[in-house]
Amino acid sequence: MAGSMGGFNAHAANTLTAIYLATGQDPAQNVESSTCITLMEPANDGRDLRISCSMPSIEVGTIGGGTVLPPQAACLDMLGCRGPNRDHPGAHAQRLARIICAAVMAGELSLCSALASGDLVRSHIALNRAAPATPANTPQSSVTPQPSIADMRSASK
């Protein structure tokens, strides 16, 4: 697993930010909210894997701000956590936070599985992301080079 300043996780910020944008959250809260600790350990005499994900500072809301935009409101409706919960204040925000944490945990498991099996490296090589730069696959610059100060001095003589 990759270590980061925001916790011990592989890529929690990617999943969190995608859901934030889809549900009308403030994407600037990504830094604090992506603090995450993902743990994986063997269970049942090594036959199973126990995975846990803790996101202690996730910041979400289900009323106001971007949550009122039609596409974002539709996503919150689909997740069953749009607007206030009149019977249990804060319950919809708690539900959204749990959904985000569950999605992060699924992404962590998927990425770590791809790393462990070698699929991540193989797919990057297959998609040619490891190809060395050549004139054929390197974009040409459209910027005209500027003359150096020495060139300008010699031209003025």
Side-chain angles (χ1 to χ4, degrees), residues 15-144:
T15 304
L16 177 124
T17 302
I19 297 173
Y20 265 30
L21 294 173
T23 60
Q25 307 305 303
D26 181 357
Q29 299 307 315
N30 167 293
V31 175
E32 295 87 359
S33 297
S34 293
T35 300
C36 176
I37 299 173
T38 302
L39 299 174
M40 295 182 196
E41 59 189 353
N44 298 324
D45 297 320
R47 293 187 312 270
D48 296 316
L49 176 68
R50 179 179 297 124
I51 179 172
S52 65
C53 189
S54 175
M55 299 181 78
S57 58
I58 191 167
E59 300 176 42
V60 294
T62 59
I63 57 174
T67 67
V68 301
L69 299 170
Q72 284 74 11
C75 285
L76 289 169
D77 279 337
M78 185 174 49
L79 297 171
C81 52
R82 180 178 173 204
N85 184 314
R86 306 262 182 235
D87 296 327
H88 304 285
H92 284 171
Q94 289 173 347
R95 177 179 171 83
L96 180 57
R98 286 186 179 109
I99 289 168
I100 293 170
C101 192
V104 165
M105 186 168 67
E108 297 282 280
L109 180 60
S110 176
L111 178 59
C112 289
S113 297
L115 284 167
S117 68
D119 288 342
L120 185 67
V121 173
R122 280 193 294 278
S123 67
H124 277 78
I125 291 170
L127 294 171
N128 214 13
R129 294 181 183 158
T134 65
N137 70 8
T138 303
Q140 297 300 313
S141 173
S142 61
V143 176
T144 305

